[in-house]
Amino acid sequence: TGLGRVDASNLRVSIAEGYYQRQDYAAAEQAMGQAPPKRAKKPYTQWQDLRSRLLLAQGRYDEAIGALRAADAGADFDSYVRYYNLGVVLLQNGLGPQGATVLDRVGNVPGNDHDMISLSDSANLALGSWLLQNGQGATAIPVLERVELAGRYSDRALLDLGWAWLAPAGTKQARVMLGDERTQGPPPETVGALHHPFDTQNVYQRYHLRPFVRARLDDDRDARVKRALAVWSELLGREPTSDAVQEAYLAAGMALDDLGAHQEAAEQYGRGIKAMETASRAADEAGQYLRADAWVKDVLEASDTSTRFDRALRALPRPGVAVQLDGYMAGWSFQSGLQQYRTLEALDANLQDSTAGLGDEDAAQALRLQAAQQRQDIDGLKRAEIASLRQQLLDQLALRQRRLSKLLEGARLEMARVYDGVAQ
């Protein structure tokens, strides 16, 4: 009451963001109200940004496209994230050429900022994987080669890159017009652009619709297998707890067997089986750790003196658990639960501090009793949150175990075939 339309919209978005973080999407949508006017660019973009995240979280991808397109497309990191989301959503809605063009733009953004490099790598991996799945091996290779060799996405990118050398070459993949291109003046990445006023709108977008670059795939099957092996050899020297490294052992075994190097193939299968058996045992140990209570102190509890909302990890889980679950713990779902748990911790600590200095009069006694009841309620909510987070982590471990079981079954079968002299 009493706020202007823009200020009221900003407040509604803040309230809706709180509901969104608690995964109460219906309440978040209701709290958002109507969009602010388009002329208020920043509030309008923030409103559309939250709306797009709400729709994505609910799997309403076709509606999310409209919200992602409506948000202001600048050259800041948040704009790149929205554009990346748009590319993924377009692919999921069957609009492959449009989604590929969007992801290609994000994957080509130059820079030395860690977050932007990571986002570009993610875009290149998503695009390369989509091209590979659609039989466009020659187009996937240059895209996957853009992923940093030491980045967080490099293991999976190298695995897919090896498969791309063995995939069908496919036809030319066209870049398409999306309707948001710059069509005036020189391309923003050229020297000529320096003589024009700088415009932060869509500086990463290209309006030249050249086809994607394609690698030349040799007609000699053995030569392509050797190229794949050269890529996978980079993976085989990495940490064997990585999913992609485990799969690379099996892929290399298959490739070596295809070349007639049966003994070397058996050795690779053996290394892969050993790595996956070790990973399976580690997953079992991680499950035992999570079913006990030590992980709560390691991961969830804040410092004893914390009386504020704080989602930082005070200690890391033991290495075996971190290796198995670090990606999931860093994800939105677990972090949201962690925030709720820490909020309850802070409320409990503040409540305890508030009643510590009360006197002995009747009113103070009544407040202490009321506070004690509230702290019991908070303890109940904390236990429920712990149970929910524990189950999330156990479910992730179960998924890993099912994956490992399938891979182990296939690896042992292939190894037996190699020893029996049966052609794959």
Side-chain angles (χ1 to χ4, degrees):
T1 301
L3 291 178
R5 185 177 176 185
V6 172
D7 290 336
S9 174
N10 290 338
L11 181 57
R12 290 192 190 100
V13 167
S14 297
I15 295 169
E17 182 76 37
Y19 285 120
Y20 167 76
Q21 293 291 344
R22 289 162 176 76
Q23 302 179 43
D24 189 345
Y25 305 131
E29 286 197 73
Q30 184 177 7
M32 287 182 70
Q34 296 295 317
K38 287 186 178 182
R39 64 179 180 274
K41 287 188 175 181
K42 186 174 180 180
Y44 181 78
T45 294
Q46 290 175 337
W47 192 93
Q48 294 289 0
D49 178 74
L50 178 56
R51 176 161 171 76
S52 71
R53 288 184 282 128
L54 278 169
L55 295 170
L56 289 172
Q58 299 173 78
R60 294 158 60 185
Y61 301 123
D62 54 339
E63 296 175 74
I65 291 176
L68 288 165
R69 286 188 181 277
D72 195 30
D76 58 292
F77 181 70
D78 287 344
S79 293
Y80 289 127
V81 172
R82 284 192 296 272
Y83 211 54
Y84 167 86
N85 287 341
L86 174 62
V88 173
V89 170
L90 288 168
L91 292 184
Q92 290 173 334
N93 277 272
L95 300 171
Q98 293 91 329
T101 299
V102 169
L103 290 177
D104 182 57
R105 289 172 176 173
V106 179
N108 270 302
V109 175
N112 55 9
D113 176 76
H114 177 271
D115 289 339
M116 191 63 241
I117 291 172
S118 183
L119 183 66
S120 293
D121 282 354
S122 181
N124 287 321
L125 178 58
L127 174 56
S129 298
W130 180 81
L131 291 167
L132 181 58
Q133 291 164 12
N134 285 273
Q136 299 277 60
T139 310
I141 289 171
V143 172
L144 292 167
E145 286 179 337
R146 294 198 301 238
V147 178
E148 277 205 322
L149 269 178
R152 61 174 297 189
Y153 299 105
S154 61
D155 285 3
R156 181 59 58 180
L158 285 169
L159 181 68
D160 283 357
L161 180 58
W163 286 120
W165 279 107
L166 300 179
T171 57
K172 284 187 177 181
Q173 178 69 41
R175 292 182 175 92
V176 299
M177 189 74 78
L178 297 167
D180 56 2
E181 288 78 11
R182 290 166 55 110
T183 57
Q184 300 290 325
E189 72 276 15
T190 64
V191 175
L194 298 176
H195 301 294
H196 290 70
F198 182 71
D199 178 9
T200 60
Q201 297 296 303
N202 304 331
V203 296
Y204 50 90
Q205 296 181 12
R206 308 294 189 265
Y207 46 83
H208 298 296
L209 300 183
R210 295 184 298 271
F212 280 79
V213 176
R214 302 172 77 233
R216 182 181 178 278
L217 295 185
D218 202 306
D219 292 334
D220 183 351
R221 168 73 179 179
D222 286 357
R224 292 170 64 179
V225 171
K226 290 175 183 177
R227 293 295 297 263
L229 276 170
V231 174
W232 289 329
S233 66
E234 169 68 27
L235 267 180
L236 298 180
R238 297 190 177 190
E239 176 56 51
T241 54
S242 163
D243 291 355
V245 173
Q246 294 161 11
E247 293 175 37
Y249 280 118
L250 309 189
M254 178 215 70
L256 287 165
D257 196 31
D258 199 33
L259 291 173
H262 304 302
Q263 184 60 42
E264 292 84 353
E267 291 173 1
Q268 290 297 339
Y269 285 133
R271 293 189 185 103
I273 289 170
K274 182 178 179 180
M276 287 183 287
E277 287 175 342
T278 300
S280 182
R281 288 193 296 271
D284 286 338
E285 293 171 3
Q288 294 172 9
Y289 169 73
L290 291 173
R291 290 183 182 91
D293 292 328
W295 77 280
V296 176
K297 187 172 184 61
D298 288 350
V299 178
L300 296 183
E301 291 183 352
S303 63
D304 295 337
T305 59
S306 179
T307 57
R308 60 187 179 87
F309 305 141
D310 182 3
R311 69 169 84 188
L313 294 178
R314 294 301 175 190
L316 294 175
R318 61 184 60 179
V321 177
V323 167
Q324 301 281 337
L325 296 168
D326 64 335
Y328 186 79
M329 285 183 172
W332 182 85
S333 183
F334 187 85
Q335 286 294 310
S336 178
L338 175 61
Q339 182 185 24
Q340 291 188 56
Y341 183 85
R342 292 286 176 76
T343 300
L344 292 167
E345 276 195 317
L347 290 172
D348 190 26
N350 290 335
L351 196 58
Q352 189 174 7
D353 287 348
S354 298
T355 56
L358 293 176
D360 295 330
E361 61 273 13
D362 292 343
Q365 292 285 6
L367 282 174
R368 267 195 290 270
L369 289 173
Q370 185 179 4
Q373 181 59 52
Q374 288 176 334
R375 293 190 65 198
Q376 287 183 12
D377 294 342
I378 290 172
D379 283 340
L381 292 170
K382 286 170 66 177
R383 287 194 297 272
E385 197 62 56
I386 289 171
S388 174
L389 291 171
R390 175 187 280 121
Q391 193 57 52
Q392 287 182 41
L393 297 176
L394 289 174
D395 288 346
Q396 289 301 306
L397 284 175
L399 285 174
R400 289 182 63 83
Q401 287 287 46
R402 285 197 291 272
R403 170 192 164 274
L404 287 167
S405 295
K406 289 182 67 175
L407 287 176
L408 276 168
E409 181 181 358
R412 287 167 179 152
L413 177 62
E414 293 302 326
M415 191 170 181
R417 285 177 174 173
V418 171
Y419 279 126
D420 289 343
V422 178
Q424 185 172 350

